[in-house]
Amino acid sequence: MTKQAAIVLVLMVLLKISDTEMSKEIPTRPDVISIGALFSFNSTIGQVAKVAIAAAVDDVNSSPQVLNETKLKVSMQDANHNGFLGMIKALRLMENDIMAIIGPEFSVSAHTISQVATELQVPLLSFAATEPTLSSLEFPYFVRTTQSDLFQMSAIADILDYYEWTDVIAIYVEDDYGRNGVAVLGDKLAEKRRRIFYKASLSPNMSRLDIIHVLSKLASIESMVLILHTYPDLGLEVLDVAKDLGMMRAGYVWITTDWLSTVLDANSDLAKKAIDGIEGVLTLRIYTQDSEMKRKLISRWEGLTDGKSASGSVGLNTYGLYAYDTVWLLAQAIDELLIQGTHISFSTDSKLTQLNGKSWSFDSVKIFNEGNLLLKSILKVNLTGVTGKMMCNSDGCVVNPAYEVINVIGSGLRKIGYWSNYSGLSVLPPENHHAKPNDTSSSKQQLHGVVWPGQTTEKPRGWVYPNDGKPLRIAVTKPFFKEIIFQVEGTSAYSGFCIDVFNAAVDLLPYTFPYQFVPSTHHQHQPNNTELMYMVQRGVYDAAVGGIAVTTSRMRMVDFTQPFVESGLVVVAPIRKLNLSTWAFLRPFTPMLWCVTGLSFLIVGVVIWILEHRRNDDFRGPPRKQVITILLFSFSTLFPSQREKTVTNLSRFLLIIWLSVVLILNSTYTASLSSILTVERLSSNIKGIESLLSSNHPIGYQIGSFAGNYLANELNIHHSRIVPLNSPEEYEKALINGPEKGGVAALVSERVTMEIFLSTRCEFSIVGQDLMKIGWAFAFKRDSPLAVDMSAAIIKLSECGELQRIRDKWLKQSACIKEDGKKELDRLPLKNFLCLFLICGSVGLLVLLVYLTQMVNKFIKHNSDKSQSSTLRSWSAALSSFASFLNEKEELIQSKPMGRQMERSSVER
């Protein structure tokens, strides 16, 4: 053990001995237990809390179920809205051997007093300090017995998300309570992709003139959704000033935290006066479930407050309910501590005695030695009180935090729904959802209708133009193609595809706004689209319309709408026609296919002749006639006009197969020949971007397009090869001249403009694949609500087919830009029909084998006579005899002897 550690240990022992000698011990079961209460007696919450705490102490002392014979005594101190005075009053309470303090009321005071409570080990139970950063990690002896503003800000964020308001203004009091509450609201909004557009801080003691100055500045901001997070007196003054400034008219949205419902519940006379000027405001109220205990307290409240307030009757609000339950919670925790036989003792703090001087004496401030045990007992309490179930832990004592959503209207406060951290927004009480699965999806959120400021039930859009009704200046890009956008001759009006889409989208908005189209020329300079986006960012223009491609660099400067047309970079190059020869009718088939087809005709004709020769007179006669018959019959199958009829089943079967093949060949040939004779055959030396990258030819692009930067930065093409072109005429001239005459080998530009260019110039064509996919959109200033609303309108135009109708009106394509007509058609090869020929050949071979087998059997049968068979002495004679047999007609063979048949056959030959 080191020397320093030994000294520390000795000092600790001495201090412990000193503390023990000065400690004051209270009997195990004392007759009276003292607790403190610290809040501002004349505040909205304090007036109610004073009555509620006193009533709770009386109820505890009269109840046989808690503390038995021990009585609870409360010592109340008035903090008088002063944080420093509150700390002094807290030290004064701790001079009286109190076991715990109920309070303070304000979160700012709680930060300071919690440090004192931690030092003296006195639990601090606050029924009204809602600031979310007050936690047991920093202040272990601080216990929150009400709901944290963390949940209140979550409820407000859900309300804003429900009504689809993106940007809001936060007005807050400039202290820990206001700053930290708004910081939590910003985090909750960010989770829903929404934000606090502007923050306006107010001093707690700000004059009415200063408030007027702050709100006048807010009146010039686009957002009209205001969140007011202050103290009651300051908040009512803000709302009154807003009414005088015309900020309570239709279009505005005011949402206050629960301070407004708290003050209106507590002071009915004030509520009647205030509601006249703040109709349409939304506020929150901490939700407490209805119960018998709550109804009993409410029924006796008027008797409890009679004559106890100089300002008139005091209504019961939710903070009064929590103050009442806090006393009961503390009483049960103390009772549990006493049941365990814990000795209650206090001792002086040696650190404070060192501060004693002539004017200061801290000897009377005591440490509560069993404070840690009481804190643990408090955290174990499971209480069902007038506010519902309370189970304390390090995060607080409230179970299932929830709020009522209140609409201030002419007749008072109207409940339009509930919010809970379990179910989100709902028109049913939170307890109705506890038996169901947790579901906070946006489709399940629901609230009743609201009467907004200006006595309108139509949901405000939440923003307004800050330019006092002046029309928005919408810049129009350079009219490169009149189909895209152009100025009507002799007027200041514009027309074209982009203008029609913009106007159609505006017509779908649920509101109107003034706007005018102006040329984008600035100081006699025509900016490109990227420069135009920079001008929109700087406020030279409010928006921009035209063929503006959405790129990453431009998105950093402006907000784009949903793209209204798909585009992309394409390569356009000159093409040449392939002249067709006089033998073009042979082009549908390859030479090999022609040869196989012709040979198949001859083979099928020969097989049919063999099968029909013995029985069909059409296939008999002199050799010359039979050769002609074979040729004519074979090729006549192309047409339904052949004269010869088949009589054998085998030949008919083969003919059916062959006719099927002929039908397919004929149909395919006709279609292919029609395509060759009617479609221009085009080709180009440039096959795509690869051809350009591998060459040193110059490449053209449209001035103002991002294509130039793309070629230079993304494809690393040298700037000397990139040629800017300023009009369709320059496009055409540069492509016709080519690199040899000072032109370009190809153009790289956006598909939409190139399709318009090619619609009347069929000597050029798109070659290769698109380099990239992009879209055209309208550009607005950053954070402009119009960008979101116009995006939704463009989607609606697409869904209803109006966007396609506008496109067909302006951008309908001509036949010569169709890629299908520019692709070279290949000849039909043999392999495409090989299966057909194989099937037909197999069938022909099969029927021929069957026929020969039958003929051989007949030949043998006719030569079974021995006398005749002896004459067949050689194979050559046998084959000759078999050929004569095949050549003989079937009827003659059956009616004549074999010898006469052979003689006749020899005569015929």
Side-chain angles (χ1 to χ4, degrees):
M1 180 181 295
T2 62
K3 181 177 180 181
Q4 290 83 354
I7 294 174
V8 171
L9 181 60
V10 171
L11 289 175
M12 291 177 64
V13 172
L14 292 175
L15 287 174
K16 182 64 178 177
I17 294 173
S18 176
D19 289 346
T20 303
E21 291 175 348
M22 293 184 291
S23 64
K24 177 181 179 181
E25 187 171 309
I26 299 176
T28 303
R29 174 61 72 171
D31 294 333
V32 177
I33 291 292
S34 296
I35 62 172
L38 180 64
F39 50 86
S40 297
F41 290 174
N42 63 343
S43 68
T44 300
I45 295 177
Q47 293 181 54
V48 180
K50 186 175 182 180
V51 178
I53 292 174
V57 171
D58 291 341
D59 292 344
V60 166
N61 289 333
S62 61
S63 174
Q65 299 177 357
V66 63
L67 292 179
N68 292 331
E69 299 299 326
T70 301
K71 297 299 180 181
L72 191 64
K73 178 183 177 182
V74 59
S75 175
M76 297 188 187
Q77 292 289 333
D78 184 6
N80 200 21
H81 302 277
N82 190 294
F84 176 75
L85 184 60
M87 184 179 66
I88 299 299
K89 293 295 182 68
L91 290 172
R92 181 165 296 176
L93 282 173
M94 295 175 188
E95 293 176 350
N96 300 325
D97 298 337
I98 62 170
M99 297 178 64
I101 296 177
I102 297 176
E105 171 189 353
F106 297 106
S107 300
V108 176
S109 300
H111 277 276
T112 305
I113 298 174
S114 291
Q115 299 180 11
V116 177
T118 301
E119 177 67 26
L120 300 178
Q121 301 179 23
V122 176
L124 195 66
L125 290 81
S126 178
F127 58 89
T130 57
E131 196 264 297
T133 64
L134 286 166
S135 67
S136 59
L137 293 176
E138 183 179 3
F139 309 112
Y141 280 83
F142 174 81
V143 179
R144 194 197 312 272
T145 59
T146 187
Q147 296 189 19
S148 169
D149 279 341
L150 173 68
F151 303 109
Q152 182 167 210
M153 297 308 173
S154 298
I156 293 177
D158 280 352
I159 292 173
L160 295 172
D161 186 57
Y162 176 77
Y163 289 112
E164 300 178 336
W165 292 316
T166 304
D167 298 329
V168 302
I169 296 174
I171 306 174
Y172 62 97
V173 63
E174 183 58 51
D175 59 13
D176 288 341
Y177 164 72
R179 284 191 301 268
N180 295 332
V182 169
V184 171
L185 175 62
D187 294 339
K188 295 300 179 181
L189 289 176
E191 293 175 2
K192 300 181 179 299
R193 304 187 69 176
R194 304 179 190 280
R195 63 169 187 157
I196 298 177
F197 181 75
Y198 186 84
K199 295 180 180 179
S201 61
L202 305 174
S203 170
N205 300 315
M206 182 173 282
S207 67
R208 184 179 180 87
L209 185 61
D210 292 333
I211 294 175
I212 292 174
H213 177 71
V214 172
L215 293 189
S216 298
K217 185 177 181 180
L218 299 183
S220 63
I221 297 177
E222 291 182 5
S223 177
M224 298 177 69
V225 181
L226 300 100
I227 312 300
L228 186 55
H229 182 53
T230 65
Y231 299 118
D233 293 340
L234 179 61
L236 290 174
E237 187 73 16
V238 169
L239 294 177
D240 188 58
V241 170
K243 182 188 71 172
D244 292 343
L245 293 178
M247 297 177 68
M248 282 289 176
R249 68 178 188 272
Y252 276 94
V253 177
W254 285 87
I255 302 176
T256 76
T257 47
D258 63 350
W259 63 264
L260 180 56
S261 64
T262 299
V263 69
L264 295 181
D265 288 339
N267 194 328
S268 58
D269 295 334
L270 176 63
K272 293 177 182 179
K273 297 178 182 178
I275 287 177
D276 292 336
I278 61 174
E279 289 183 349
V281 174
L282 292 185
T283 186
L284 298 177
R285 177 196 286 149
I286 298 177
Y287 174 74
T288 55
Q289 187 174 349
D290 188 30
S291 65
E292 183 65 24
M293 296 176 61
K294 179 180 175 181
R295 287 193 295 269
K296 287 182 178 180
L297 180 60
I298 294 175
S299 65
R300 51 190 280 240
W301 183 258
E302 185 175 353
L304 293 173
T305 59
D306 187 23
K308 294 189 177 181
S309 175
S311 59
S313 61
V314 177
L316 178 60
N317 55 34
T318 52
Y319 288 103
L321 297 176
Y322 278 111
Y324 182 88
D325 276 351
T326 301
V327 174
W328 274 93
L329 185 148
L330 181 57
Q332 289 196 10
I334 295 174
D335 186 45
E336 182 64 26
L337 200 66
L338 296 177
I339 292 175
Q340 296 174 3
T342 304
H343 292 273
I344 307 301
S345 62
F346 296 87
S347 59
T348 57
D349 189 344
S350 58
K351 298 177 183 178
L352 295 178
T353 57
Q354 297 174 6
L355 300 176
N356 287 339
K358 295 181 180 179
S359 302
W360 295 89
S361 176
F362 291 94
D363 288 341
S364 57
V365 178
K366 303 293 192 303
I367 294 176
F368 179 26
N369 296 328
E370 285 72 36
N372 186 43
L373 296 177
L374 178 58
L375 178 63
K376 292 179 179 179
S377 180
I378 291 172
L379 298 180
K380 292 179 181 179
V381 170
N382 187 347
L383 170 71
T384 299
V386 295
T387 60
K389 193 170 185 179
M390 298 182 69
M391 294 178 61
C392 296
N393 54 35
S394 58
D395 296 326
C397 297
V398 177
V399 178
N400 298 323
Y403 285 85
E404 297 174 357
V405 184
I406 305 297
N407 183 203
V408 180
I409 58 176
S411 59
L413 303 180
R414 174 173 168 265
K415 190 186 305 178
I416 64 169
Y418 304 87
W419 178 92
S420 73
N421 65 334
Y422 185 81
S423 60
L425 297 173
S426 174
V427 295
L428 299 176
E431 60 268 17
N432 290 26
H433 297 277
H434 292 158
K436 302 176 182 178
N438 187 0
D439 187 1
T440 58
S441 58
S442 58
S443 61
K444 300 295 184 181
Q445 306 300 287
Q446 190 177 7
L447 289 175
H448 290 301
V450 177
V451 178
W452 302 101
Q455 295 184 346
T456 177
T457 57
E458 182 180 353
K459 186 196 80 171
R461 69 172 181 256
W463 58 276
V464 72
Y465 299 104
N467 50 8
D468 298 327
K470 295 180 181 179
L472 268 68
R473 288 170 47 84
I474 302 177
V476 177
T477 59
K478 180 181 178 182
F480 205 79
F481 289 95
K482 72 174 185 178
E483 290 86 353
I484 301 297
I485 198 167
F486 69 97
Q487 186 172 6
V488 179
E489 187 175 355
T491 69
S492 60
Y494 285 84
S495 185
F497 171 66
C498 295
I499 297 295
D500 280 6
V501 173
F502 187 89
N503 290 333
V506 170
D507 290 341
L508 289 180
L509 297 178
Y511 52 86
T512 59
F513 62 93
Y515 64 93
Q516 64 179 7
F517 296 114
V518 296
S520 57
T521 304
H522 188 63
H523 298 308
Q524 298 182 346
H525 168 66
Q526 180 66 50
N528 60 39
N529 285 348
T530 300
E531 292 173 339
L532 183 58
M533 298 303 98
Y534 179 65
M535 296 168 70
V536 173
Q537 181 188 31
R538 288 188 302 147
V540 178
Y541 303 107
D542 297 299
V545 171
I548 305 172
V550 181
T551 64
T552 303
S553 60
R554 295 172 182 175
M555 289 181 67
R556 297 191 184 103
M557 294 184 282
V558 297
D559 282 348
F560 283 103
T561 64
Q562 170 79 13
F564 56 87
V565 66
E566 290 186 0
S567 187
L569 288 183
V570 295
V571 179
V572 174
I575 55 175
R576 57 186 176 87
K577 299 179 182 179
L578 298 178
N579 295 325
L580 299 176
S581 67
T582 57
W583 296 94
F585 67 91
L586 295 176
R587 295 185 64 87
F589 293 166
T590 60
M592 179 60 70
L593 181 55
W594 278 118
C595 292
V596 173
T597 303
L599 185 60
S600 299
F601 275 103
L602 294 176
I603 293 175
V604 170
V606 170
V607 173
I608 295 294
W609 179 83
I610 293 174
L611 297 175
E612 293 288 325
H613 179 68
R614 299 184 69 250
R615 301 179 60 182
N616 193 337
D617 291 337
D618 291 338
F619 290 87
R620 299 187 63 80
R624 180 179 178 183
K625 177 186 176 183
Q626 295 182 49
V627 171
I628 294 175
T629 299
I630 291 173
L631 295 175
L632 291 177
F633 178 84
S634 178
F635 287 98
S636 66
T637 56
L638 286 169
F639 316 98
S641 62
Q642 60 265 32
R643 181 175 58 85
E644 297 79 5
K645 305 297 181 180
T646 56
V647 296
T648 64
N649 292 331
L650 293 176
S651 60
R652 289 173 179 172
F653 178 66
L654 175 60
L655 191 59
I656 289 173
I657 301 300
W658 174 244
L659 288 176
S660 300
V661 175
V662 170
L663 177 63
I664 295 174
L665 288 172
N666 189 27
S667 301
T668 306
Y669 173 83
T670 303
S672 181
L673 182 61
S674 299
S675 177
I676 290 174
L677 296 178
T678 56
V679 179
E680 291 181 340
R681 302 179 53 74
L682 311 171
S683 67
S684 173
N685 294 328
I686 305 297
K687 303 301 181 183
I689 191 62
E690 295 80 8
S691 302
L692 296 175
L693 292 175
S694 61
S695 69
N696 292 319
H697 296 319
I699 305 169
Y701 76 97
Q702 175 185 331
I703 288 180
S705 170
F706 71 98
N709 289 333
Y710 181 82
L711 293 173
N713 300 331
E714 301 298 329
L715 301 182
N716 298 319
I717 297 176
H718 197 273
H719 288 279
S720 61
R721 294 179 56 196
I722 304 174
V723 180
L725 301 172
N726 199 37
S727 67
E729 290 73 21
E730 289 188 12
Y731 278 6
E732 184 175 10
K733 182 179 179 181
L735 287 173
I736 291 175
N737 290 339
E740 297 80 7
K741 298 181 180 180
V744 297
L747 297 174
V748 175
S749 190
E750 298 173 44
R751 172 174 283 276
V752 176
T753 56
M754 286 300 94
E755 287 179 349
I756 299 173
F757 173 74
L758 297 175
S759 63
T760 56
R761 298 171 176 85
C762 295
E763 63 272 26
F764 313 117
S765 173
I766 296 175
V767 295
Q769 301 295 322
D770 290 11
L771 305 187
M772 62 179 297
K773 295 291 185 181
I774 55 174
W776 284 3
F778 304 126
F780 289 88
K781 289 192 299 185
R782 293 300 298 269
D783 305 320
S784 172
L786 265 178
V788 178
D789 292 348
M790 288 289 285
S791 293
I794 290 171
I795 294 175
K796 291 179 182 178
L797 287 176
S798 178
E799 291 174 345
C800 69
E802 181 65 13
L803 187 60
Q804 185 62 43
R805 188 195 65 77
I806 297 174
R807 176 164 183 162
D808 291 341
K809 172 185 174 183
W810 292 101
L811 308 180
K812 195 169 184 179
Q813 301 177 2
S814 175
C816 67
I817 67 168
K818 301 290 186 181
E819 291 191 2
D820 292 341
K822 297 174 182 177
K823 293 182 179 178
E824 187 171 344
L825 298 174
D826 295 328
R827 291 179 175 182
L828 299 173
L830 173 63
K831 64 179 181 179
N832 290 357
F833 303 93
L834 185 59
C835 183
L836 291 175
F837 286 112
L838 290 177
I839 293 174
C840 186
S842 301
V843 172
L845 181 60
L846 177 62
V847 297
L848 188 59
L849 289 176
V850 172
Y851 175 75
L852 290 177
T853 302
Q854 293 175 350
M855 291 299 102
V856 169
N857 290 334
K858 289 183 179 182
F859 177 72
I860 294 174
K861 184 177 181 180
H862 279 274
N863 286 281
S864 59
D865 190 354
K866 295 180 179 181
S867 60
Q868 293 292 337
S869 63
S870 61
T871 61
L872 302 176
R873 298 181 178 180
S874 64
W875 283 103
S876 59
L879 291 176
S880 178
S881 178
F882 182 65
S884 297
F885 178 78
L886 291 177
N887 189 49
E888 189 69 33
K889 196 171 182 179
E890 183 72 19
E891 292 83 355
L892 296 176
I893 293 176
Q894 295 177 359
S895 61
K896 295 181 180 182
M898 186 65 184
R900 296 184 64 182
Q901 294 174 18
M902 295 176 62
E903 291 175 1
R904 182 176 176 179
S905 298
S906 62
V907 172
E908 290 181 356
R909 288 194 295 268

